[in-house]
Amino acid sequence: MSLDGLYREIILDHYQNPRNRGELGDANAASHGLNPLCGDEVNVFLKLEGDQIDAIGVTGRGCSISQATGSMMSESIKGHSVAEAREMAQAFKSMMTEGGSLEDRDEMADLEALQGVKQFPVRIKCTLLPWTTLTDALDRYAADGESR
Ligand code: ZN
């Protein structure tokens, strides 16, 4: 797999020094995601305060693309509202599958490095896994709220 040099460095940096790595003891939302095509696993833990994502923890194993994406995603959504995080998930998916752009989204700058992965269609799922896991955790939290 060959990616443009700068992009590759950003991805490798997140893979080797993942941000917000680890479980959250006081998480009130969580989800587990699996990409059987590549054997990737991602766990997302969220500490939500009202509509705000106060903290996020990510664990998992698998290819560098999936794990680096989890790290980048955690940085982007931390401190943002649930609605903003969902919007970022949409924007990222649009970039990977519909030619959308993240140009006006400063908090998602590192994620632009994953554009090069589009040349390898089978790996696109690796970049979407952390986001679908995040969305699932948010859905579970919303469902819990309805029954509270
Ligand atoms: Zn993968």
Side-chain angles (χ1 to χ4, degrees), residues 35 37-41 61-67 122-123 125-127 129:
N35 169 18
L37 283 178
C38 191
D40 302 323
E41 282 182 55
R61 58 182 175 175
C63 71
S64 57
I65 299 291
S66 65
Q67 304 305 307
V122 74
R123 308 301 296 278
K125 275 200 159 50
C126 304
T127 70
L129 178 66

Side-chain angles (χ1 to χ4, degrees), residues 36-50:
L37 283 178
C38 191
D40 302 323
E41 282 182 55
V42 171
N43 300 295
V44 172
F45 304 88
L46 301 171
K47 169 94 169 65
L48 290 130
E49 191 67 52

Side-chain angles (χ1 to χ4, degrees), residues 93-127:
K93 189 176 175 195
S94 163
M95 177 184 83
M96 294 307 294
T97 63
E98 295 157 12
S101 161
L102 299 179
E103 250 169 51
D104 299 328
R105 297 173 177 271
D106 288 348
E107 72 278 12
M108 298 182 78
D110 280 3
L111 286 154
E112 285 195 283
L114 293 163
Q115 282 187 81
V117 176
K118 285 193 285 191
Q119 310 163 60
F120 312 94
V122 74
R123 308 301 296 278
I124 292 175
K125 275 200 159 50
C126 304
T127 70

